[in-house]
Amino acid sequence: MPDPHSTDPAFSGLTKNQSLVLETIAKARRPIGAYEILRELAPRGIRSPVQIYRAVNSLIQCGIVHKVESINAFVRCTDAHPHHGQTTILAICDDCGTVVEHHDETVDRRLVAWAKQEALEVNAVTIELKVRCANCSALAP
Amino acid sequence: MPDPHSTDPAFSGLTKNQSLVLETIAKARRPIGAYEILRELAPRGIRSPVQIYRAVNSLIQCGIVHKVESINAFVRCTDAHPHHGQTTILAICDDCGTVVEHHDETVDRRLVAWAKQEALEVNAVTIELKVRCANCSALAP
DNA sequence: GATGAATTGTTACGTTATTTCCTAACGAGA
DNA sequence: TCTCGTTAGGAAATAACGTAACAATTCATC
Ligand SMILES: [Zn+2]
Ligand SMILES: [Zn+2]
Ligand SMILES: [Zn+2]
Ligand SMILES: [Zn+2]
C-alpha cells in the first residue's frame, strides 16, 4: 500500500487501475459515481464494476479518496496533509456538487467521549453536510 | 403531513402505505433495506419499490424514521421526543445492527459555525458511527 | 525455471434507487 | 356541474450501486 501523501502528485506506488481511477476522480472535481468512472475508463480497457470498486477501496484506505455516503460517490481528498485519525467532515453542495473538506477536534472528542460512555468501540465516523455553497447561493438567490 | 410525536403509536395521520412501511421498519428493530421492506409487504399488496421509497421519504420528513446513509437502510426513530432541528447522531453496530441515537448541541453548534464561516447554507447533516456495541464486544472479545 | 503472492480480468448476480407514465380521489372555485 | 390543481397510489422499466466466485496474468524471489 503506497503512502498517499509522500510523492504528490504522482503516487508512483499505485497500480495501473488505481492510477486510472484516481485520475478520473481527480479530474471530475466533484463526487463521481462508480459507474460514471467505469464509463469514463471503458475506452482505456476497464470493463467491469469490480475493477472500479477494488481500486476505489484501495484509494480510500490510503486516504487519497473519500466516499460520500449520502450520495454514493467518490471524491478526491483535497487536504494538503494526511488526516491523522481525524474524522473528515465533508460539505457537499446540492446544486453544483462542490465539496469542502474540514476537520474539528472538538467534534471528534465529543463523539469519541460519547461512544466511550456508551461502551461503543468506534470503527468509523461519517460526518456530511448537504449544503448550498456560496457560489450557488449568489447565482440563484 | 402528520405530527410524528403527537398520538404515539398510532400516527393516525399516516396513509395506508406509510403505516404499513412504518410498521415493518419498527418491527425490524434494526436498520432494514427498502427491498426487504418490499418483500415483507408483498403479501399485503405492495408491489413496487417506488411505493416503499415514497412512504419512507414521507416518514423521514416527519422525523419518524431515519435513513442510515452508511448502510442504505432505514430505522425507526427511537427518540421519545421530537428533534427540534437537532442533528441526529446514529451509532450502528457492525455486528448486530443495533442503533443508538444521540444528540449533541456542541457538535451542532460547531458544524453550523463552520458552515456559516464558509458561507454554506446547510440543508441536512449526517453523523453516523460504525461501532461494535457493548453486547457484541462481550460476546466475542 | 519453479513457486507463491498480488493484481487483474470476466461472468454473473443481487441490491438500491429513480424515472416515466398513468390512474383515482378530493376540494376549490368558476 | 365542470374544470383545475393537488395528493396519493400503481406499474414497468431502467439506472446505479455493490459483491461473489473463479480464471488468468504479472511479478518478485528463490
Ligand atoms: Zn481528505
Ligand atoms: Zn454550489
Ligand atoms: Zn430520531
Ligand atoms: Zn452489536
Side-chain angles (χ1 to χ4, degrees):
Chain A
M1 205 63 61
D3 177 352
H5 297 274
S6 56
T7 52
D8 235 47
F11 300 116
S12 41
L14 299 181
T15 70
K16 188 188 119 211
N17 285 2
Q18 286 165 9
S19 295
L20 286 172
V21 168
L22 175 57
E23 189 187 311
T24 306
I25 293 174
K27 217 166 47 184
R29 294 177 45 220
R30 77 190 55 205
I32 181 175
Y35 278 61
E36 202 181 335
I37 300 174
L38 180 56
R39 278 192 296 275
E40 203 75 35
L41 288 178
R44 299 236 243 159
I46 304 287
R47 274 157 226 279
S48 86
V50 226
Q51 298 172 272
I52 306 296
Y53 283 105
R54 281 205 277 243
V56 139
N57 286 332
S58 304
L59 295 171
I60 288 172
Q61 273 218 313
C62 298
I64 311 178
V65 161
H66 299 295
K67 173 164 186 181
V68 187
E69 299 285 359
S70 55
I71 57 174
N72 299 311
F74 308 95
V75 68
R76 175 70 217 265
C77 173
T78 57
D79 247 36
H81 303 294
H83 321 310
H84 301 105
Q86 291 175 100
T87 300
T88 299
I89 300 172
L90 297 176
I92 309 101
C93 177
D94 290 326
D95 288 16
C96 69
T98 299
V99 171
V100 185
E101 213 171 317
H102 179 55
H103 303 275
D104 187 315
E105 285 200 21
T106 302
V107 168
D108 281 5
R109 265 198 309 271
R110 291 199 61 97
L111 292 179
V112 167
W114 171 68
K116 184 171 186 179
Q117 177 191 309
E118 297 274 335
L120 303 171
E121 180 189 332
V122 178
N123 292 330
V125 182
T126 302
I127 305 180
E128 294 176 10
L129 285 70
K130 309 284 281 317
V131 302
R132 193 138 193 266
C133 76
N135 226 311
C136 289
S137 291
L139 287 176
Chain B
M1 204 62 60
D3 177 351
H5 298 274
S6 55
T7 52
D8 234 45
F11 299 115
S12 40
L14 299 180
T15 69
K16 190 187 118 211
N17 284 2
Q18 287 165 7
S19 295
L20 288 171
V21 168
L22 175 58
E23 190 187 309
T24 307
I25 292 174
K27 217 167 48 186
R29 294 177 48 221
R30 80 190 53 205
I32 182 175
Y35 279 62
E36 201 181 336
I37 300 174
L38 180 55
R39 278 194 296 276
E40 203 74 35
L41 288 179
R44 299 236 242 158
I46 305 285
R47 274 154 228 276
S48 89
V50 231
Q51 297 172 270
I52 305 297
Y53 283 106
R54 284 204 273 240
V56 139
N57 287 333
S58 305
L59 296 170
I60 288 172
Q61 273 217 315
C62 298
I64 311 178
V65 161
H66 299 296
K67 173 164 187 182
V68 187
E69 299 284 0
S70 55
I71 57 174
N72 299 308
F74 308 95
V75 68
R76 175 70 218 263
C77 173
T78 58
D79 249 36
H81 303 295
H83 323 309
H84 300 105
Q86 289 176 101
T87 300
T88 299
I89 300 172
L90 297 176
I92 309 100
C93 177
D94 289 327
D95 289 16
C96 69
T98 299
V99 171
V100 186
E101 214 171 316
H102 179 56
H103 303 274
D104 187 314
E105 285 199 22
T106 302
V107 169
D108 281 5
R109 265 198 308 271
R110 292 199 61 98
L111 292 179
V112 167
W114 171 68
K116 184 171 185 180
Q117 176 190 310
E118 298 275 335
L120 304 171
E121 180 188 330
V122 178
N123 292 328
V125 181
T126 302
I127 304 180
E128 293 177 11
L129 286 70
K130 308 284 281 319
V131 302
R132 194 139 191 266
C133 76
N135 226 311
C136 289
S137 291
L139 288 176

